[in-house]
Amino acid sequence: MQSSLATSDNRLKIAVQKSGRLADKSFALLERCGLTFSRSKDKLFCYGRNVPVDVLLVRDDDIPQLLVDGVCDLGIVGENVSEEQRLVRSARGDTADYTTLKKLSFGTCRLSLAIPEFQEYTGPASLEGKRIATSYPGLTNQYLKENGVSARVVHLSGSVEIAPSMGTADVITDLVSTGTTLRANHLKEAEVIMRSTAVLLQSASPLDEGLEPVLKRLLARIDGVLEAQESKYVMLHAPADRVAEIRRILPGAESPTVLKLEGNDDRVAVHAVCRETVFWEHLEELKEAGASAVLVLPVEKMLA
Ligand code: PRT
Ligand code: ZN
């Protein structure tokens, strides 16, 4: 992503959230891909110093429209926002000219139906005729339609969780992460409507000339960052005759490296990259299989 490409006038533009739950992690992802930026005075624009990639810092809700208009080539938003705007646009008869390139590993939450804590929930049919407050009318209406329920969706742009106690709605659908907000408002989660993480979106507008290889390399680096986040480098000592068993326990490990231990013919050192999460349970199983001196190390970068 260096040299001649960096001198091109054409630059890849990525929209990310300026401040909020996805802001730091979106920016950190780009930095972990090796991109460095200088920020404009108003802090709304970041100019890529070592790559022809610029970042626009905006409200998350504006990102899909920037992609539809071709102002930005890529954008990072929650799947909840991406899908909600897709549904709202399609209800208006507009197209949503963006596609999901990748699911990212942050911004995890769920859009859930929540009801007053002392109310009984007997399934979607019990929502018939109810008033549902939400900031996600598209996803909520889709859920009601899929379940053949007729209810009134009350669109609120914020503080949805207080609607039942204010008497403006009977139940709500809202984003939930830990569940603390629901509990604090005497609500309980009754149904998960959608699970969401941050996603990388691409505009359907064609890329400017010369940007295809820039995009390709950026995507490969993002894959490398995401894979490295999950992966761990595991080192251990094991009985020489139990290596096959050890290998089966290591989650997502390809061919491990097996090394001789100086002055010890019965035990060997095993090194492996585990591409799935290594849990304490795995370490306990390894120990039972005779492993000792088990080290689990983070992986900084990975290139397939
Ligand atoms: O200013 P801007 O419009 O850019 O930001 P915003 O205020 O619209 O969004 P922001 O920063 O709150 O969230 C951005 C994205 O983060 C969302 O679109 C989701 O994809 C993701 N995300 C992950 C969440 C949450 N977790 C979350 N917990 N978004 C919102 N919440 C809110 C939720 O609405 C509720 O009020 O947190 C509260 C619930 O949290 P818990 O932990 O109490 O369950
Ligand atoms: Zn927003």
Side-chain angles (χ1 to χ4, degrees):
M1 268 197 257
Q2 292 276 11
S3 64
S4 61
L5 284 175
T7 59
S8 155
D9 282 343
N10 298 339
R11 302 179 65 85
L12 196 71
K13 289 178 202 68
I14 310 181
V16 305
Q17 192 188 29
K18 181 172 189 283
S19 61
R21 285 183 165 86
L22 303 181
D24 290 350
K25 290 197 171 149
S26 302
F27 212 78
L29 171 67
L30 299 175
E31 287 183 328
R32 289 194 69 190
C33 289
L35 279 59
T36 59
F37 299 98
S38 22
R39 283 200 184 211
S40 66
K41 271 212 182 95
D42 56 11
K43 299 207 164 78
L44 296 178
F45 186 77
C46 297
Y47 182 83
R49 282 197 290 225
N50 57 342
V51 288
V53 176
D54 298 330
V55 176
L56 265 75
L57 300 168
V58 293
R59 286 200 58 185
D60 65 348
D61 318 74
D62 293 336
I63 292 176
Q65 188 66 47
L66 290 170
L67 297 172
V68 169
D69 293 342
V71 174
C72 289
D73 306 298
L74 302 177
I76 298 177
V77 284
E79 231 173 336
N80 50 303
V81 170
S82 153
E83 290 314 302
E84 174 67 20
Q85 294 212 17
R86 207 186 282 286
L87 290 169
V88 170
R89 295 184 72 82
S90 115
R92 282 203 310 253
D94 294 337
T95 50
D97 297 329
Y98 52 82
T99 49
T100 303
L101 286 182
K102 281 180 201 310
K103 274 184 170 247
L104 305 172
S105 54
F106 55 90
T108 308
C109 59
R110 50 200 188 271
L111 179 69
S112 291
L113 170 75
I115 64 170
E117 62 188 353
F118 295 116
Q119 228 171 63
E120 213 189 317
Y121 180 69
T122 52
S126 63
L127 299 173
E128 189 68 33
K130 293 257 167 77
R131 292 165 307 161
I132 309 178
T134 185
S135 301
Y136 293 88
L139 289 163
T140 303
N141 273 316
Q142 176 178 259
Y143 169 79
L144 293 173
K145 200 168 157 204
E146 279 168 7
N147 287 281
V149 175
S150 173
R152 189 153 74 85
V153 174
V154 182
H155 186 186
L156 300 178
S157 53
S159 304
V160 172
E161 63 279 359
I162 62 170
S165 59
M166 298 278 287
T168 48
D170 304 301
V171 300
I172 66 167
T173 69
D174 200 8
L175 297 180
V176 181
S177 164
T178 59
T180 309
T181 307
L182 291 185
R183 281 192 294 279
N185 287 281
H186 306 289
L187 298 169
K188 64 179 179 192
E189 202 171 349
E191 198 98 60
V192 174
I193 293 178
M194 177 194 190
R195 293 191 186 275
S196 175
T197 60
V199 284
L200 178 69
L201 302 179
Q202 182 177 11
S203 164
S205 306
L207 283 178
D208 284 348
E209 213 187 316
L211 289 183
E212 203 59 61
V214 178
L215 174 64
K216 218 172 139 199
R217 265 178 278 179
L218 177 63
L219 294 181
R221 288 188 187 188
I222 290 177
D223 280 344
V225 170
L226 297 178
E227 221 177 310
Q229 271 171 358
E230 270 280 279
S231 300
K232 292 284 179 285
Y233 193 74
V234 178
M235 302 197 287
L236 55 84
H237 291 175
D241 57 355
R242 298 185 77 177
V243 170
E245 190 181 347
I246 297 275
R247 185 179 167 177
R248 274 196 299 277
I249 299 167
L250 288 168
E254 285 157 20
S255 310
T257 308
V258 180
L259 303 161
K260 214 175 152 334
L261 285 177
E262 188 60 38
N264 189 339
D265 289 338
D266 300 336
R267 295 178 73 75
V268 289
V270 178
H271 293 189
V273 173
C274 291
R275 288 172 186 266
E276 292 164 25
T277 311
V278 181
F279 292 108
W280 279 106
E281 286 74 8
H282 293 122
L283 303 191
E284 285 155 9
E285 265 186 78
L286 288 169
K287 202 145 187 255
E288 274 167 33
S292 62
V294 184
L295 279 182
V296 181
L297 306 169
V299 175
E300 163 105 11
K301 288 190 180 73
M302 207 181 241
L303 198 62

